[in-house]
Amino acid sequence: LWLENRRLAVRGDIPDPVPAEGEALVRVVRAGICSTDEGLLKGLYPFTGVIGHEFVGIVEAGPDALRGKRVVGDINAACGTCPTCRAGRRKHCPNRTTLGIVARHGAFADYLTLPAENLFAVPDGVATDAAVFTEPLAAALEILERVTVARTDRVLVAGTGKLGQLICRVMAMTGCALSVLGRSPAKLERLGDLAAGIVTAETLKPRSYDLAIEATGNPDGLALALNAVRPQGILVLKSTFPGAVMLDTTRLVVDEIALVGSRCGPFDKALALLERHEIDPTGLIDGRYPLERGLAAFEHGRRPGALKILYDLS
Amino acid sequence: LWLENRRLAVRGDIPDPVPAEGEALVRVVRAGICSTDEGLLKGLYPFTGVIGHEFVGIVEAGPDALRGKRVVGDINAACGTCPTCRAGRRKHCPNRTTLGIVARHGAFADYLTLPAENLFAVPDGVATDAAVFTEPLAAALEILERVTVARTDRVLVAGTGKLGQLICRVMAMTGCALSVLGRSPAKLERLGDLAAGIVTAETLKPRSYDLAIEATGNPDGLALALNAVRPQGILVLKSTFPGAVMLDTTRLVVDEIALVGSRCGPFDKALALLERHEIDPTGLIDGRYPLERGLAAFEHGRRPGALKILYDLS
């Protein structure tokens, strides 16, 4: 699935990637469409090449310990030697490539390459359909790496899309008082009884949440989420969207709110949760396509109420 | 000094305020002009009345322990009974009045009133000209209440105005590697050897500071300060300015930056620093006016290079 000039095309003429030193060759068996992929189509980054970064694959060439194994992979390939890497912030390496996003062909293809150190073996007890959620689940878990959530906290998750659903499941684990901001009845229904409260733009009580998490993917959702945060509360930003956003920074100052940007997270913890079946994301799967029907898969993902669409290459 | 419809006027016909129950009557002896006062003239809040919130006064009516004493005062008068107050966030009380800013006449007058519990006696060793800086110094100290600053941190203070100067002095105390972003040679000179580095918009190295503090008072300064922060670094916002600002929230997410809004701070700690002479703010005083020349004082404050302008009523 090749992106060029914001146009996506199924192409059969792309050579398989060749692993560089320290890299493994991975045969993709499952891949998921993420909102960031939709963002790339809208010009979030000027990327040309194979997109896709959520995957499960089989290692065909690489270290003995991984060969033949099912793996998932951290999407940020760092240089390992720059000051940022040496400071322990490898995912922020300024020289990094990012699978299917920045300067590295991605997972919507028969094969991908990643540094062997980025790969995590999938435990036997984790189904491939669950493991393909490791990357977004890790991104949801990253919130707990950045902020402390108490059982007494009133938490609002804004957005019931693919990532919002996973964030709700992670937040529910903390035992906090969870509310969800969403419009789509179909998507809200997928939450089951995870959220104690469901609010809309009309019923949202301003300044009433200790923590709000923005995963709506649009500036209006961001404004609502900010409005929801109490003085000295925290707003976690998960959405990336093209373009700058108007923000009332005076509100941030006067109400002493902290805005915390959050991106990729811990794969090991995500896999551990999946292995213990504390979170089952497979209920979010709404479609399954061969790569050849790549564009139809994207179309499906845009239908109202649709959540995760997978490519099945097995 | 009366503000109405964004116009400031010296008026002699304003009755002295009458203290409500629990409030003290304070005769103002010194008051300082803050950038927020300029903001009020530009419509930051729809305030009509006596402006001014930085002051030293003598308690004329109030509790025995304070009567006749020199005092400074926390500008936020909370209700004390709402959920926010009971949660210990009195400065964010939704029912609060704020001296010279929201629904309470301020300090650019012969008398003001504040709840007695808001007042702090000025230690004998602190000159009135120093004590008048207690409120903005407390606001600078609030940064250290919100973020931890290590001696190894690279810190950028953006802005060399009245508040920026105090923030630089507070940050220098931490022993961090301090740089300052500023344009005015006259204001940079007032920093002496506090800052190891002086940078401009042209020489600023992007993504190179662990912590940046925005005190420029304008959106361009905010953009520069954000640009200065390294991945997973922190940007503290101190400036309030009218209107919303364009912000690249995708940068916040991808670089996992935390934006921390910060407003008023601990008066007790500010007074303690002044008493121990760890910070001497009196070098920032550039003018001294009687209230009758109130407008001339504001004009003086707008001159290039001018810092703190005081009203002297003693």
Side-chain angles (χ1 to χ4, degrees), chain A residues 57-93:
Chain A
I58 310 280
V59 176
E60 297 225 333
D64 291 346
L66 287 173
R67 211 169 313 144
K69 290 241 165 77
R70 277 190 312 160
V71 293
V72 292
D74 190 326
I75 68 177
N76 299 292
C79 76
T81 57
C82 70
T84 301
C85 284
R86 281 184 278 123
R89 295 188 292 271
R90 295 174 63 98
K91 71 173 158 173
H92 291 289
C93 170

Side-chain angles (χ1 to χ4, degrees), chain A residues 44-45 84 88-89 91-92 96 142 146 154 207 210 222 230-233 237-250 252-265, chain B residues 44-45 84 88-89 91-92 94 96 142 146 154 210 222 230-233 237-250 252-265:
Chain A
L44 180 64
Y45 297 106
T84 301
R89 295 188 292 271
K91 71 173 158 173
H92 291 289
R96 74 184 179 273
E142 179 65 13
R146 302 294 304 278
R154 299 157 298 172
R207 294 182 173 160
D210 301 295
L222 173 57
R230 68 151 167 89
Q232 293 186 331
L237 301 180
K238 293 298 294 188
S239 295
T240 50
F241 30 73
V245 170
M246 295 296 285
L247 211 63
D248 180 359
T249 54
T250 295
L252 296 181
V253 172
V254 171
D255 278 356
E256 301 192 315
I257 287 169
L259 231 72
V260 176
S262 166
R263 184 167 46 104
C264 302
Chain B
L44 180 63
Y45 298 106
T84 300
R89 295 188 290 272
K91 70 172 159 173
H92 292 290
R96 72 185 181 273
E142 178 65 14
R146 301 295 305 278
R154 299 157 299 173
D210 301 296
L222 172 57
R230 68 150 167 90
Q232 294 186 328
L237 301 180
K238 293 298 292 187
S239 294
T240 49
F241 30 74
V245 171
M246 294 296 285
L247 211 63
D248 181 0
T249 55
T250 294
L252 297 181
V253 172
V254 172
D255 278 355
E256 302 192 314
I257 288 170
L259 231 73
V260 176
S262 165
R263 183 168 45 105
C264 301

Side-chain angles (χ1 to χ4, degrees), chain A residues 190-201:
Chain A
R190 306 287 270 278
L191 291 170
D193 56 2
L194 282 178
I198 289 170
V199 296
T200 63

Side-chain angles (χ1 to χ4, degrees), chain A residues 159-242:
Chain A
T160 55
K162 296 181 279 295
L163 185 55
Q165 294 276 342
L166 293 172
I167 292 169
C168 284
R169 283 157 178 78
V170 165
M171 286 299 134
M173 287 194 320
T174 69
C176 68
L178 181 63
S179 295
V180 177
L181 174 74
R183 284 177 306 197
S184 160
K187 290 181 182 177
L188 286 167
E189 201 175 299
R190 306 287 270 278
L191 291 170
D193 56 2
L194 282 178
I198 289 170
V199 296
T200 63
E202 291 71 35
T203 62
L204 178 70
K205 194 159 165 261
R207 294 182 173 160
S208 59
Y209 293 92
D210 301 295
L211 169 67
I213 300 158
E214 200 289 302
T216 65
N218 69 68
D220 292 345
L222 173 57
L224 283 171
L226 178 55
N227 192 30
V229 180
R230 68 151 167 89
Q232 293 186 331
I234 297 174
L235 173 60
V236 172
L237 301 180
K238 293 298 294 188
S239 295
T240 50
F241 30 73

